[in-house]
Amino acid sequence: EKREIPQWFFKITAYADELLSELGNLPGWPDPVKIMQRNWIGRSEGLEIQFAMDDGEAPNTADSITVFTTRPDTLMGVTFLSIAAEHSLALKAAASNPDIAAFIDECRRGGTAEADVETQEKKGIDTGYFAVHPISGEKIPVWIANFVLMGYGTGAVMAVPGHDQRDWEFATKYDLMIKMVIIGDAVRDAIGELDRDVRNNSDPMTTALGESRPIDVIEGAGALSVFEDFENGIITKSAFTDYGTLVNSGEFDGLDFRGAFDAIAKRLEADGKGERRVNYRLRDWGVSRQRYWGCPIPMIHCDRCGIVPVPEDQLPVILPENVRFMGVQSPIKADPEWRKITCPSCGGPAERETDTFDTFMESSWYYARYTSPGAKDMVDERANYWLPVDQYIGGIEHAILHLLYFRFFHKLMRDAGFVKSTEPATNLLCQGMVVAETFFREKPDGSRDWINPADVEIEKDERARVVGARLKSDGEPVEIGATEKMSKSKNNGVDPRTMVGKYGADTVRLFSLFASPPDQSLEWNEAGVEGMSRFLRRLWRDLHAHVSQPDHPEVDAIALSPKQKTMRRQVHETIAKVSDDFGRRYAFNTAIASCMELLNAVAKFTDMDEQSRAVRHEVFESMVLLLTPITPHISQALWTALGHVDPVHAHAWPEANEEALRKDAVTLAVQVNGKLRGTIEAPVGAAREAVEAMALANSDVSAHIGASIVKKVIYVPGKIVNIVI
RNA sequence: GCCGGUGUGGCGGAAUUGGUAGACGCGCCAGACUCAAAAUCUGGUUACUGAAAGGUAGUGUGGGUUCGAUUCCCUCCACCGGCACCA
């Protein structure tokens, strides 16, 4: 059932629409990742418009410049076109003009990374060519601009300096015309008033300007500067980029964004000069890299047959290991022998591809291969048993690239018939980085000698503030640097095995999960681990003290004293909280904290009667089960101590008992004007009037009300009473 | 520059749907035990003020919405991640 693979198959842009829409079917993925991917794909609706070249100036009248715009409503404000340095027309202009050629060279030298392009100084050069405005027929100049990239859209943009900030800055710098064709609502409304007075001119802006009185009227609408600019025929402050109403746009005057979009689209479509189009910011994925390390691209270049795939029985192409590195070039590129091969199609001499795949290529489908070890194909039928991945975990730094390629590849495999699912992973957790403090000493040449945190002693003042640090070996001070991601270059890596050796794996795992929620960065700091060790030792000691007591009956919920009930309720509250923290919130730190609270509470619960011992048994059994996923080894030992024969991991996860969770009374905060002034104990389900009366009767509260009149009382059952005076 | 995130005690962090800010842990202080130390246990620990009870302020900045804001909205600042070849 494998499909014939069409030519567009490997283009990620062919999947742009699906990659975007399927984000809506990923409830188990974090919102920030989905938002970043949505923005990265960047779907936008607009018009593609052709600007013909002016006959008298163009080197070839067949030339035209195609632009894409999401703001066709500003079309009548176009005063020039900006094209990329690699645009065919730019290259044509460069052929006869050394200044232009030099400018293009300069653009090439600049970085192509989006961050470089967006932060560099906006520069341009006039090509000397003119295009024709598709509606007004005006001649408009064509400029080359360093911020227009060939890889985006069509490599050319229509410039509307009046209503685009970047175009505005460019036009101001090079003294190009700026037209106002959109006005905001405030200006429109003010003009509307003037228009009613005059009524005899169809162009409201002209009417307003024709009168000697508009300024004071407009001033009230808060648009004075815009209006003054218009009087002078230029926008001086900055571009007006909001949506609004069209002016100075001939037949389109008075239309809003939507109306203008439709009218202009219709007009251009009728004239064959433009059409509606959906554009994506997403670019195609170039998968080849000019380096040695990597998976060779299994393609063969034949002069007669073109590019021919390596036959399947010769896969995989193995990277030669017996190579010599010389300079920066890949050794398989330098080696004239390795690439020699006969063409599998015609049998003539041919050459292997010497580029290797981008590492993102393999990381895009390894998870699928893991389901089918030894499979002859990429995967076999086992993939459909395991996939999609239930829980995928990776760093947030992969939010865009890896996780988009990952989704793309899964859809490719689906369309090739390898898997049936549409998305590779149901749930995604992006964990933070492991960071640690850095320490250094400055060397005479100003460079830094980084010192490992394990070799440093921290000095603190009497208020426990860090005042300095010393090297353990010589006792001399060292400088304290930033807290950064663990790295070799900053020598702040700490091997957890040292800690595991000292405290055991359970303690270290407990510590690393307790230190911060998984999606935040984790500070690896030895100080906290002592607390975890203490907690486990207390649990061990208290549990063994409990099992050394005489046997006890089952818990009899009806026979429990209020104190026993409270203790038992806390057990079930903890079960409910830990279950939710593990299953829904991934909040392991708070799950552990509530187990600690439970241990603190049971340590104070020292009654020795039978039912107390029964409740205490429930505390320890539950706590051991709740901690098992984090501390399996000590949990198993404690489980055995509690008298169980079966392994702890085989036991069912505890469930919170509704009956045990029930409360008779609840503590309510009482506020006066939003400030906490006291608390009251109210029976659950008490009437509003009764609760209000209790709140007003509270002495701390009444002291703050004094002789004032109570205006309003807000009561949120189970939470607060707020008395407004 | 753009997109996303973060900012809370001395420190890591909690507050889940707008409802008692600082849970839990570290550190620190005091006490108990001890000849002593370690370990352990008990109590305290946001700041200012006050003998105390308490009062006032307080969650990066400045504003706003609300009876009530760490939480929602706007502004700004700092830091972290990504920006398509980290060859």
Side-chain angles (χ1 to χ4, degrees):
Chain A
E1 50 172 308
K2 279 177 201 170
R3 277 209 223 161
E4 185 66 19
I5 295 176
Q7 209 188 348
W8 48 263
F9 191 76
F10 293 108
K11 288 168 77 79
I12 193 171
T13 48
Y15 287 81
D17 225 9
E18 193 193 339
L19 287 166
L20 182 68
S21 62
E22 284 292 322
L23 286 173
N25 293 328
L26 289 173
W29 280 43
D31 285 332
V33 171
K34 289 190 277 187
I35 293 167
M36 280 189 269
Q37 293 210 351
R38 190 168 290 131
N39 292 335
W40 185 260
I41 295 166
R43 183 184 196 276
S44 56
E45 290 179 11
L47 291 189
E48 199 169 81
I49 303 173
Q50 280 97 47
F51 284 74
M53 296 308 292
D54 180 67
D55 281 347
E57 308 284 343
N60 176 348
T61 49
D63 278 330
S64 71
I65 295 176
T66 304
V67 303
F68 174 80
T69 179
T70 56
R71 290 294 304 269
D73 58 319
T74 64
L75 180 60
M76 302 311 285
V78 173
T79 56
F80 60 101
L81 297 184
S82 304
I83 63 173
E86 299 91 342
H87 195 279
S88 59
L89 212 64
L91 300 177
K92 197 170 278 186
S96 58
N97 184 325
D99 288 345
I100 293 175
F103 180 77
I104 291 173
D105 264 354
E106 191 191 325
C107 289
R108 281 206 186 109
R109 279 196 301 275
T112 55
E114 195 180 357
D116 297 333
V117 173
E118 292 294 324
T119 50
Q120 72 192 331
E121 194 195 346
K122 309 286 179 283
K123 282 187 196 168
I125 191 166
D126 192 352
T127 60
Y129 301 151
F130 286 87
V132 181
H133 192 284
I135 289 177
S136 70
E138 278 176 275
K139 275 171 65 175
I140 55 172
V142 177
W143 282 63
I144 300 168
N146 65 349
F147 54 85
V148 179
L149 288 184
M150 205 57 215
Y152 292 94
T154 60
V157 296
M158 63 180 217
V160 187
H163 304 286
D164 179 281
Q165 191 57 29
R166 194 164 60 178
D167 293 342
W168 184 86
E169 279 159 23
F170 193 84
T172 305
K173 179 169 180 171
Y174 292 108
D175 206 15
L176 294 158
M177 202 198 298
I178 300 174
K179 278 189 186 170
M180 176 189 272
V181 293
I182 307 283
I183 53 170
D185 291 349
V187 178
R188 182 201 59 202
D189 293 347
I191 290 167
E193 269 174 46
L194 286 169
D195 198 34
R196 269 198 298 284
D197 292 344
V198 182
R199 284 180 204 287
N200 58 359
N201 193 314
S202 61
D203 177 7
M205 191 57 103
T206 312
T207 305
L209 292 171
E211 296 291 302
S212 56
R213 47 180 283 229
I215 296 299
D216 53 321
V217 177
I218 299 294
E219 193 168 21
L224 179 58
S225 67
V226 174
F227 211 82
E228 278 177 332
D229 283 348
F230 189 82
E231 261 191 317
N232 299 325
I234 181 175
I235 301 182
T236 54
K237 305 290 188 295
S238 69
F240 177 76
T241 57
D242 292 349
Y243 290 145
T245 303
L246 273 68
V247 294
N248 290 333
S249 298
E251 64 189 272
F252 308 111
D253 276 354
L255 293 174
D256 63 5
F257 169 75
R258 203 63 248 174
F261 190 120
D262 291 339
I264 289 171
K266 215 169 166 184
R267 167 80 186 269
L268 291 175
E269 277 166 352
D271 295 348
K273 290 176 179 171
E275 56 189 5
R276 289 166 193 269
R277 203 186 150 99
V278 173
N279 200 46
Y280 293 93
R281 205 186 78 99
L282 182 68
R283 307 205 301 251
D284 263 316
W285 177 17
V287 296
S288 64
R289 298 291 180 267
Q290 296 74 51
R291 59 180 156 71
Y292 164 72
W293 292 111
C295 177
I297 297 174
M299 291 290 164
I300 292 165
H301 298 270
C302 172
D303 283 343
R304 260 184 290 175
C305 312
I307 298 173
V308 183
V310 174
E312 283 197 31
D313 60 3
Q314 290 170 33
L315 293 176
V317 176
I318 306 288
L319 201 61
E321 289 179 40
N322 180 23
V323 293
R324 272 217 313 232
F325 287 89
M326 288 183 295
V328 293
Q329 199 182 19
S330 161
I332 59 174
K333 286 187 186 301
D335 182 352
E337 291 306 311
W338 183 78
R339 71 180 77 160
K340 279 186 187 162
I341 192 168
T342 51
C343 173
S345 175
C346 69
E351 291 195 346
R352 288 185 184 282
E353 172 60 53
T354 55
D355 278 6
T356 53
F357 277 124
D358 180 2
T359 54
F360 279 127
M361 191 80 174
E362 289 81 48
S363 64
S364 296
W365 68 283
Y366 72 97
Y367 69 96
R369 178 68 187 192
Y370 284 179
T371 66
S372 310
K376 284 240 154 40
D377 261 325
M378 290 177 85
V379 296
D380 58 29
E381 68 285 352
R382 286 171 290 175
N384 281 322
Y385 172 80
W386 292 106
L387 298 176
V389 175
D390 296 305
Q391 180 65 62
Y392 197 64
I393 302 175
I396 186 67
E397 69 271 21
H398 293 123
I400 307 281
L401 293 181
H402 166 63
L403 289 173
L404 200 62
Y405 296 140
F406 173 64
R407 296 180 59 219
F408 165 53
F409 232 91
H410 196 84
K411 292 172 194 302
L412 282 183
M413 288 192 287
R414 175 201 62 195
D415 289 348
F418 286 118
V419 296
K420 292 199 169 74
S421 42
T422 268
E423 287 286 336
T426 311
N427 294 294
L428 171 68
L429 172 66
C430 290
Q431 93 276 27
M433 298 174 299
V434 179
V435 298
E437 277 183 310
T438 56
F439 302 95
F440 63 91
R441 277 181 182 160
E442 203 125 313
K443 288 194 276 197
D445 66 357
S447 68
R448 287 174 174 186
D449 200 2
W450 297 96
I451 297 160
N452 194 275
D455 304 327
V456 171
E457 196 108 52
I458 303 289
E459 296 184 307
K460 290 174 178 173
D461 67 6
E462 67 279 7
R463 297 218 45 184
R465 270 185 282 248
V466 173
V467 290
R470 285 170 190 279
L471 186 63
K472 281 177 187 168
S473 58
D474 64 12
E476 295 298 315
V478 297
E479 303 283 328
I480 301 175
T483 299
E484 294 186 65
K485 179 174 174 169
M486 281 188 186
S487 69
K488 278 182 190 164
S489 63
K490 298 288 166 64
N491 191 18
N492 63 338
V494 179
D495 188 344
R497 273 181 293 188
T498 314
M499 216 189 253
V500 170
K502 191 170 169 194
Y503 295 99
D506 279 354
T507 306
V508 174
R509 191 163 32 235
L510 187 66
F511 162 66
S512 65
L513 291 173
F514 182 69
S516 71
D519 55 348
Q520 283 180 36
S521 57
L522 165 66
E523 191 171 340
W524 198 259
N525 181 332
E526 298 263 342
V529 75
E530 277 293 343
M532 297 306 107
S533 177
R534 243 185 318 249
F535 166 69
L536 291 179
R537 279 181 281 140
R538 279 178 65 201
L539 175 61
W540 180 276
R541 187 196 61 200
D542 292 357
L543 184 143
H544 279 89
H546 162 70
V547 296
S548 72
Q549 289 163 19
D551 229 359
H552 54 81
E554 290 286 293
V555 169
D556 179 357
I558 298 164
L560 295 182
S561 68
K563 193 176 165 191
Q564 291 162 343
K565 255 188 197 165
T566 304
M567 183 71 250
R568 184 159 186 256
R569 188 173 62 233
Q570 190 172 350
V571 176
H572 289 272
E573 283 170 350
T574 306
I575 292 170
K577 170 147 181 67
V578 172
S579 303
D580 186 47
D581 282 353
F582 277 15
R584 180 179 63 90
R585 299 178 65 211
Y586 303 116
F588 309 112
N589 55 333
T590 54
I592 294 164
S594 59
C595 287
M596 289 175 167
E597 285 179 82
L598 186 61
L599 182 63
N600 290 343
V602 79
K604 290 192 176 111
F605 180 78
T606 52
D607 294 353
M608 288 298 180
D609 59 282
E610 289 196 335
Q611 279 301 312
S612 292
R613 297 205 304 275
V615 168
R616 193 147 51 230
H617 196 75
E618 204 176 341
V619 171
F620 285 116
E621 290 225 312
S622 305
M623 196 156 22
V624 168
L625 288 169
L626 294 176
L627 288 169
T628 295
I630 299 174
T631 58
H633 306 99
I634 193 172
S635 289
Q636 179 58 53
L638 294 173
W639 191 242
T640 306
L642 286 164
H644 295 278
V645 178
D646 289 342
V648 66
H649 65 261
H651 194 276
W653 187 251
E655 273 185 48
N657 180 306
E658 287 301 317
E659 185 63 32
L661 287 172
R662 188 164 302 151
K663 276 180 160 183
D664 300 328
V666 63
T667 306
L668 292 176
V670 184
Q671 301 178 333
V672 178
N673 284 347
K675 278 193 177 157
L676 180 72
R677 296 304 182 188
T679 57
I680 54 171
E681 286 290 317
V684 169
R688 181 193 171 98
E689 292 73 22
V691 173
E692 282 184 20
M694 281 178 76
L696 290 165
N698 183 290
S699 60
D700 294 332
V701 173
S702 54
H704 280 93
I705 298 172
S708 308
I709 294 158
V710 174
K711 286 187 198 142
K712 183 154 73 157
V713 179
I714 288 145
Y715 170 46
V716 182
K719 298 270 172 70
I720 59 128
V721 179
N722 188 14
I723 297 159
V724 185
I725 56 172

